[in-house]
């Protein structure tokens, strides 16, 4: 009846996950009860859960990422403490638990923190920068978000029901095959990634179509803000790479569930095929994450330098070059697995070539700052911090791309330091910069600068104190993923790294405090102009938070830095802005499709993990029925009448007028 | 789509000297939908390529089991191919019928497409069942694993297509040729034709090359 599921699935003998799970459960229940008792449920349902507004969906993505960041972060703290104390002893985490933690940590950080964070920011901002009302497929957008949430839910469920994979974040076979991992851990891993992967693909298709087909009038390709370009590149990579992940995990699942022989040791299976497939997805994946961050830095650097982006065209070229080259270097992840010197040399050189467009970008940012009027607001701090950090990470990457060096450093702590260097210093710093930069746009008030700066400095310093020791430990020969060790020389570095982790944690806490303080003081931090940073692109042309329809008219773009131009022109024309006729606006109607779909996907995923076949069928039928019901509805749009549009827009215009007159003549 | 060349704006954009092709603004819903669906199809084809690649890697790994030439039946494959190619034609007829709002020819075209699809699936299913009965199931060898997965993945797509097709017929029956129904129909047709193209790949790589070897 319940497949493999019985009481033994609950880890009564392991206090840590049980207590953690209980705390989370109590927290969730508490929030739910509070929501119901306070009567917020109808509001949540109609304004958020069923919303198809790209801004709301973006905010929900970021919320999901932030919550998962805390979960993944606790895993990280546990691992650092373990390695600090596990010198010539077992530490406090038993091996099988430690293995689950590092697997869950990597999986969560990549798929449920970094991905939703950047996708959330892209969702929130790109339609605004393009001057359009919504993404190409609003309901699908909501489906994509909720499927991502399903994946996150399943991973967290594994904490208390069953176990998680012990195979690392990429589940290499044959370790992940049934004969070596007979439990449900790998199944949890694979199904949650399959489901959230569908969500990611959907988001990718949506954003590619949005950028290519929905741009407002006059928004030629070479007038798009840099963030739109990197969004395009990143989502093209999603569309091209995520199907590879889907296929690879499907093969692994077929091996596990039906006795197929894709990657098994026996009957002719081929493990190297897994390596090739997973890295053909995996290397582009790191650029899927970092390209949007590059876009954010471009926007931030140019805004806070008060200058247009230096070398805009070379920036576009560099972005697209990275997009293409990132598909040609995957093999550098297994130099040591016997491909031979020729292949290694070719892929080594190809990998180093990526450093060229990346370098171009760094120089462009520096030249943008050069001679500009720089303001060191929090987003700018993150951007500058990123440049320093990322140079180190990129250089160590180039070092790893030298095959002989990689033979020494592969799978060592040095590698761990490299990729954290680029992913934290690149993606996460970018996410934070974007968060600080666009928060006033999303909510209409700024974040507290003092706490924001504190958060930056603690995170920045904490980052270096944590990861420089790991580089050193790697060069001293320490391999990654050790549950305990006996080499005295490594120990001090592990202790320093643990201290660094504590500093980093303070940074995260500062950021939470910043949010709380800012919400408390939101009246004094209120920004009525919609343009708190003196921005350059179209998202600043509308009010904060923007109305559902974003823009009362489709903006007409005349050049790069569309909104900057408008401001300059408005001043020259002494504020005479013609007011064209307002028109009715059609907007897509809310829909519970995404939420319901994700509900059935959760049921199905859970049932598949535990081999509860009747429930699988039920979930499948439910999902199909949801789509049919969705396809059957008669009214998928509603109309906002012209007077209402006019009334909303008038307020925005007044605020803007006062802004321009305050700024004085050019 | 009308592109207007305006020299008047050119001075505002320092990079452009002379004519600028102004982007005309958001595309129509029909174009956006079709475009998005194309992008999806491309990603689906990437997924198929992975299974093709796996087949190419594993096709020699018979682990003492049968080789392709010992188990493929040319006659069946020929019938399957004919069915699928014909169904693409009838699907095209149905699309045209939908465009000119002719219910009779629409139902007829879709009905025949459905029938051909089902014949295809039946033959494929019997081929699979027969192989399994002879002990040549997918767990026999890596070659059979790759074969069943690649062909089965295509078969699954066809099954999903049939389900979608029936839903489309029901939609036209209940809603008529509404704009959103027509857009969906266009996507369905793209999907069905794409499956045809994938089948040509399967047919050549698996059956033709496999029998020749
Ligand atoms: C200058 C460009 C870069 C080069 C040349 C480079 C090179 C490399 C090489 C050769 C490896 C494999 C090392 C080994 O397994 O021994 C590696 C691993 C890795 N890199 Fe990079 N990298 C670059 C940039 C990036 C960026 C931008 C990111 C992320 C945003 C990134 C994320 C990773 C990750 C996650 C791994 C580890 C994967 C694992 O084994 O779990 N790299 N890099
Ligand atoms: Cu790589």
């Amino acid at each position: 009846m319940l497949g493999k599921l019985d009481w033994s699935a609950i880890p009564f003998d392991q206090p840590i996950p049980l207590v953690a799970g209980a705390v989370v459960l109590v927290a969730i229940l508490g929030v739910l009860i509070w929501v119901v008792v306070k009567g917020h449920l109808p509001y949540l349902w109609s304004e958020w859960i069923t919303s198809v507004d790209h801004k709301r969906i973006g905010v929900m993505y970021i919320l999901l990422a932030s919550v998962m960041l805390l979960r993944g972060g606790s895993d990280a703290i546990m691992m650092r403490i373990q390695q600090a104390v596990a010198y010539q002893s077992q530490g406090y985490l038993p091996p099988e638990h430690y293995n689950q933690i590092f697997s869950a940590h990597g999986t969560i950080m990549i798929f449920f923190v970094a991905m939703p964070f950047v996708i959330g920011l892209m969702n929130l901002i790109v339609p605004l920068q393009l001057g359009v009302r919504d993404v190409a497929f609003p309901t699908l957008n909501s489906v994509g978000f909720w499927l991502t949430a399903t994946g996150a839910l399943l991973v967290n469920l594994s904490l208390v029901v069953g176990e998680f994979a012990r195979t690392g974040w990429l589940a290499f076979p044959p370790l992940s095959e049934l004969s070596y991992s007979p439990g449900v851990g790998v199944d949890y891993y694979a199904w949650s990634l399959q489901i959230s992967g569908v969500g990611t693909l959907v988001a990718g298709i949506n954003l590619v179509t949005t950028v290519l087909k929905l741009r407002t009038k006059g928004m030629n390709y070479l007038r798009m803000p840099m963030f739109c370009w990197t969004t395009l590149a990143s989502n093209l990579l999603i569309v091209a790479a995520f199907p590879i992940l889907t296929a690879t995990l499907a093969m692994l699942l077929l091996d596990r569930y039906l006795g197929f022989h894709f990657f098994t040791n026996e009957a002719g299976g081929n493990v190297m095929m897994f390596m090739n497939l997973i890295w053909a997805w995996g290397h582009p994946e790191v650029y899927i994450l970092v390209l949007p961050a590059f876009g954010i830095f471009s926007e931030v650097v140019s805004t806070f330098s008060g200058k247009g982006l230096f070398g805009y065209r070379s920036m576009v070229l560099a972005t697209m070059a990275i997009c293409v080259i990132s598909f040609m270097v995957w093999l550098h992840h297994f130099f040591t697995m016997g491909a031979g010197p020729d292949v290694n040399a070719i892929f080594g050189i190809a990998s180093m070539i990526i450093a060229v467009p990346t370098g171009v970008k760094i120089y462009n940012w520096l030249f943008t700052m050069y001679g500009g009027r720089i303001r060191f607001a929090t987003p700018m701090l993150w951007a500058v911090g990123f440049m320093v950090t990322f140079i180190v990470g990129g250089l160590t990457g180039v070092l790893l791309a030298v095959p002989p060096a990689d033979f020494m450093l592969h799978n060592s702590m040095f590698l761990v330091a490299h990729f954290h260097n680029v992913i934290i210093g690149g993606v996460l710093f970018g996410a934070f910069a974007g968060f600080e930069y666009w928060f006033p746009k999303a909510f209409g008030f700024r974040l507290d600068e003092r706490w924001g700066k504190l958060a930056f400095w603690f995170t920045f310093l904490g980052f270096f104190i944590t990861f420089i020791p790991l580089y050193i430990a790697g060069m001293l020969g320490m391999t990654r993923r050790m549950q305990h060790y006996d080499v005295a020389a490594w120990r001090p570095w592990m202790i320093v790294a643990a201290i660094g982790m504590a500093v980093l944690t303070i940074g995260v806490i500062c950021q939470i405090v910043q949010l709380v303080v800012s919400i408390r003081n939101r009246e004094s931090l209120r920004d009525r102009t919609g343009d708190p940073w003196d921005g350059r692109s179209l998202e600043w042309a509308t009010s904060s938070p923007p109305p559902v329809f974003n823009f009362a008219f489709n903006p007409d773009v005349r050049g790069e830095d569309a909104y900057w131009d408008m401001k300059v022109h408005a001043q020259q024309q002494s504020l005479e802005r013609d007011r064209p006729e307002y028109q009715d606006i059609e907007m897509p109607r809310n829909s519970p499709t995404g939420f319901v779909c994700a509900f059935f996907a959760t049921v199905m995923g859970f049932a598949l993990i535990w081999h509860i076949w009747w429930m699988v069928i039920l979930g499948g039928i439910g999902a199909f029925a949801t789509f049919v019901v969705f396809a059957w509805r008669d009214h998928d749009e509603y109309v906002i009448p012209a007077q209402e549009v006019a009334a909303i827009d008038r307020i925005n215009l007044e605020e803007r007028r006062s802004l321009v007159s305050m700024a004085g003549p050019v | 789509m009308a592109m207007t060349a305006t020299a008047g704006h050119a001075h505002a954009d320092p990079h452009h000297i002379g004519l600028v092709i102004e982007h005309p603004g958001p595309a129509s819903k029909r174009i956006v939908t079709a475009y998005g669906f194309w992008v999806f199809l491309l990603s689906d084809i990437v997924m198929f390529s992975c299974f093709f690649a796996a087949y190419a890697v594993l096709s020699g790994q018979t682990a003492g089991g049968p080789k392709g030439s010992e188990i493929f039946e040319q006659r069946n494959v020929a019938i399957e191919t004919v069915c699928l190619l014909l169904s693409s034609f009838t699907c095209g007829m149905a699309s045209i019928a939908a465009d000119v709002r002719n219910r009779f020819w629409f139902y007829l075209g879709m009905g025949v497409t459905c029938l051909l699809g089902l014949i295809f699936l039946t033959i494929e299913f019997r081929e699979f069942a027969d192989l399994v009965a002879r002990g040549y199931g997918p767990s026999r060898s890596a070659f059979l694993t790759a074969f069943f997965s690649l062909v089965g993945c295509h078969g699954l797509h066809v099954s999903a297509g049939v389900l979608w097709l029936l839903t489309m017929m029901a939609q036209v029956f209940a809603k008529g040729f509404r704009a959103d129904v027509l857009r969906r129909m266009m996507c369905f047709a793209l999907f069905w034709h794409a499956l045809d193209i994938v089948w040509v790949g399967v047919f050549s790589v698996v059956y033709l090359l496999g029998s020749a070897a």
Side-chain angles (χ1 to χ4, degrees):
Chain A
M1 185 64 183
L2 286 180
K4 289 171 35 175
L5 186 60
D6 58 32
W7 285 112
S8 68
I10 316 274
F12 290 113
D13 52 334
Q14 292 174 27
I16 298 177
L18 216 58
V19 170
V23 170
V24 172
L25 212 67
V26 168
I28 292 179
L29 275 181
V31 171
L32 271 183
I33 291 173
W34 179 79
V35 162
V36 172
V37 168
K38 284 277 197 164
H40 292 315
L41 201 57
Y43 167 78
L44 269 187
W45 176 260
S46 61
E47 293 293 316
W48 290 90
I49 294 174
T50 63
S51 174
V52 298
D53 181 343
H54 70 96
K55 303 178 284 297
R56 296 270 161 98
I57 292 175
V59 169
M60 289 194 287
Y61 263 117
I62 294 168
L63 198 65
L64 174 71
S66 313
V67 172
M68 293 305 282
L69 180 64
L70 297 182
R71 159 78 212 272
S74 352
D75 288 341
I77 295 172
M78 287 168 79
M79 286 189 290
R80 279 282 130 258
I81 296 176
Q82 168 75 10
Q83 288 199 327
V85 300
Y87 168 63
Q88 288 188 336
S89 79
Q90 285 293 320
Y92 73 110
L93 289 172
E96 73 280 0
H97 189 192
Y98 182 74
N99 295 353
Q100 287 185 44
I101 292 184
F102 72 63
S103 307
H105 169 73
T107 311
I108 288 175
M109 284 305 196
I110 298 280
F111 292 97
F112 302 112
V113 177
M115 285 299 276
F117 216 129
V118 293
I119 293 182
L121 287 172
M122 295 190 284
N123 250 312
L124 179 65
I125 294 304
V126 165
L128 290 170
Q129 288 196 332
L130 293 174
V132 295
R133 300 244 148 85
D134 208 327
V135 290
F137 309 106
T139 314
L140 210 59
N141 203 11
S142 142
V143 173
F145 165 71
W146 286 106
L147 288 181
T148 309
T150 292
L153 182 64
L154 284 177
V155 172
N156 282 316
L157 211 57
S158 74
L159 202 60
V160 274
V161 187
E163 52 170 2
F164 196 68
R166 299 165 192 181
T167 50
W169 72 287
L170 286 175
F172 292 147
L175 179 57
S176 53
E177 292 282 356
L178 203 57
S179 36
Y180 299 94
S181 299
V184 293
V186 176
D187 302 323
Y188 262 114
Y189 165 86
W191 286 115
S192 50
L193 294 201
Q194 281 301 52
I195 293 171
S196 66
V198 174
T200 307
L201 180 65
V202 161
I205 293 172
N206 220 332
L207 284 163
V208 168
T209 314
T210 307
V211 174
L212 291 182
K213 285 287 147 198
L214 283 192
R215 283 163 293 131
T216 189
K217 189 165 174 306
M219 182 66 86
N220 297 359
Y221 281 117
L222 287 177
R223 289 175 185 172
M224 289 200 303
M226 212 43 226
F227 186 54
C228 296
W229 268 108
T230 57
T231 295
L232 175 64
S234 161
N235 285 286
L236 283 174
L237 285 176
I238 288 181
V239 170
F242 265 75
I244 308 179
L245 178 69
T246 308
T248 314
L249 291 177
M251 290 177 200
L252 183 63
L253 285 166
L254 284 170
D255 277 5
R256 287 180 63 87
Y257 277 71
L258 300 173
F260 282 37
H261 290 293
F262 280 109
F263 313 124
T264 54
N265 282 334
E266 65 278 358
N270 188 334
V271 172
M272 278 320 288
M273 194 168 69
F274 186 90
M275 299 301 159
N276 276 298
L277 285 171
I278 203 80
W279 284 116
W281 159 80
H283 189 80
E285 165 69 9
V286 303
Y287 285 93
I288 290 172
L289 294 175
V290 88
L291 280 175
F294 286 172
I296 294 169
F297 294 126
S298 302
E299 304 291 302
V300 167
V301 167
S302 116
T303 301
F304 290 98
S305 305
K307 271 174 72 188
L309 194 63
F310 180 89
Y312 172 80
R313 292 188 167 206
S314 62
M315 211 69 153
V316 171
L317 210 64
T319 304
M320 293 328 268
I322 291 176
C323 186
V324 174
I325 303 173
S326 69
F327 261 109
M328 309 200 286
V329 302
W330 79 94
L331 197 135
H332 67 210
H333 291 274
F334 42 96
F335 278 149
T336 54
M337 295 193 209
D342 301 341
V343 174
N344 280 1
I346 290 171
F347 278 87
I349 293 167
S351 310
M352 293 174 209
I353 289 177
I354 287 208
V356 176
T358 315
V360 168
K361 285 181 172 255
I362 301 263
Y363 281 113
N364 280 343
W365 290 317
L366 290 178
F367 282 126
T368 307
M369 289 166 67
Y370 181 78
R373 246 180 298 159
I374 302 178
R375 289 169 287 157
F376 282 105
T378 320
M380 188 64 174
L381 282 185
W382 287 109
V384 175
F386 148 81
M387 281 187 248
V388 175
T389 318
F390 197 82
I391 289 171
V392 179
L395 287 180
T396 56
V398 175
L399 187 64
L400 286 170
V402 181
D406 191 58
F407 271 72
M408 301 306 296
L409 296 169
H410 178 59
N411 272 355
S412 71
M413 283 313 239
F414 189 92
L415 165 80
V416 175
H418 155 67
F419 70 72
H420 283 85
N421 204 161
V422 278
I423 290 188
I424 297 181
V427 183
L428 215 57
F429 281 19
F432 290 156
F435 176 75
E436 304 275 334
Y437 182 55
W438 284 311
F439 188 92
K441 184 41 66 184
F443 295 104
F445 58 95
R446 294 177 196 232
L447 287 168
D448 187 89
E449 281 282 310
R450 217 163 55 91
W451 282 102
K453 286 183 174 156
L454 272 180
F456 166 77
W457 283 112
F458 276 112
T459 311
F460 186 74
L461 290 177
F463 169 81
F464 279 100
I465 305 175
T466 310
F467 288 98
I468 296 293
L470 298 196
Y471 277 123
I472 298 169
M475 294 208 267
L476 293 174
M478 184 174 184
T479 51
R480 74 200 281 201
R481 295 176 178 163
M482 295 186 110
Q483 186 256 346
H484 70 281
Y485 54 91
D486 299 330
V487 180
W490 300 342
R491 181 153 206 230
W493 301 114
M494 290 304 111
I495 293 174
V496 177
I499 295 170
M501 191 69 223
V503 180
L504 247 173
T505 309
I506 297 176
V508 172
I509 292 172
C510 285
Q511 214 143 23
I512 298 173
V513 173
Q514 180 199 27
L515 195 62
V516 175
V517 168
S518 314
I519 292 176
R520 280 249 187 96
N521 302 341
R522 60 183 172 281
E523 280 320 317
S524 58
L525 292 165
R526 180 80 57 200
D527 161 59
R528 300 197 183 285
T529 63
D531 180 22
W533 310 116
D534 200 5
R536 313 178 70 84
S537 40
L538 279 179
E539 76 265 35
W540 308 110
T542 181
S543 60
S544 309
V548 255
F549 47 80
N550 290 353
F551 299 96
F553 323 92
N554 290 329
D556 185 1
V557 177
R558 303 288 170 86
E560 277 166 38
D561 290 328
Y563 183 49
W564 187 262
D565 280 356
M566 285 182 196
K567 284 193 279 196
V568 172
H569 276 106
Q571 286 178 1
Q572 283 165 354
Q573 293 159 12
S574 60
L575 313 180
E576 277 316 309
R577 188 164 149 185
D578 44 350
R579 282 193 202 179
E581 297 283 299
Y582 288 97
Q583 276 169 354
D584 292 356
I585 292 178
E586 279 185 355
M587 291 304 291
R589 207 176 258 281
N590 280 2
S591 162
T593 307
F595 188 76
V596 176
C597 216
F599 171 79
F600 286 117
T602 310
V603 169
M604 221 161 117
F606 186 77
L608 279 164
I609 289 162
W610 292 100
H611 297 232
I612 312 174
W613 304 120
W614 60 268
M615 215 154 120
V616 175
I617 296 170
L618 220 65
I621 294 175
F624 178 67
T626 318
F627 275 115
V628 173
V629 171
F630 170 68
W632 231 260
R633 32 179 221 171
D634 282 324
H635 305 288
D636 50 0
E637 293 191 324
Y638 69 103
V639 172
I640 303 172
Q643 307 99 293
E644 205 176 318
V645 176
I648 293 172
D649 197 40
R650 199 155 301 137
I651 303 171
N652 177 30
L653 280 184
E654 287 312 319
E655 295 295 345
R656 222 147 281 266
R657 217 158 275 260
S658 59
L659 175 78
V660 173
S661 53
M662 249 158 44
V666 229
Chain B
M1 265 199 305
M3 294 272 189
T4 44
T6 44
H9 285 161
H11 67 271
D13 187 342
H15 295 299
H16 288 287
I17 307 152
L19 290 188
V20 179
I21 308 290
E22 287 286 326
H23 175 70
S28 75
K29 247 190 185 155
R30 194 182 145 84
I31 290 177
V32 170
T33 308
Y35 199 89
F37 199 74
W38 261 112
V39 178
F40 162 74
L41 281 180
L42 289 180
S43 76
D44 209 30
I45 283 178
V46 173
M47 195 196 61
F48 268 115
S49 349
C50 295
F51 281 99
F52 272 108
Y55 181 82
V57 170
L58 300 177
S59 60
Q61 305 293 328
T62 51
K67 288 196 302 214
S69 52
E70 294 162 34
I71 54 169
F72 297 150
E73 278 205 45
Q74 297 290 17
R75 203 176 57 91
N76 277 350
V77 182
I79 302 175
E80 282 181 306
T81 309
V82 170
C83 282
L84 216 55
L85 291 182
L86 264 184
S87 81
S88 230
F89 174 72
T90 52
C91 173
M93 296 300 282
S95 306
I96 296 175
D99 282 341
V100 299
R101 314 278 194 277
N102 185 320
R103 274 178 193 258
F104 174 76
W105 284 103
F106 174 79
Y107 291 133
L108 190 69
M110 292 293 260
V112 177
T113 309
C114 178
L115 199 68
L116 289 168
L118 288 175
I119 294 176
F120 173 90
L121 285 173
T122 314
I123 298 177
E124 186 158 280
F125 184 77
R126 278 183 33 199
E127 182 190 14
F128 280 10
D130 179 50
L131 281 175
V132 172
R134 281 155 63 193
Y136 299 152
S139 18
R140 176 64 189 79
S141 70
F143 156 64
L144 284 165
T145 284
F147 164 76
F148 271 89
S149 314
L150 174 56
V151 179
C153 183
H154 178 269
L156 266 180
H157 275 72
V158 176
S159 317
V162 169
L163 213 59
W164 186 358
L165 182 156
L166 294 173
T167 319
M168 281 319 307
M169 284 171 79
Q171 283 227 304
V172 170
F173 181 77
K175 311 261 161 196
F177 295 111
R178 224 168 48 183
D180 58 340
V181 176
L182 283 178
R183 284 202 297 272
R184 247 166 248 151
M185 179 62 204
M186 177 176 59
C187 294
F188 168 75
L190 285 174
F191 181 72
W192 197 259
H193 297 317
L195 288 187
D196 232 20
I197 296 171
V198 173
W199 177 256
V200 172
V202 173
F203 171 77
S204 330
V205 171
V206 177
Y207 292 103
L208 280 187
L209 286 179
S211 314

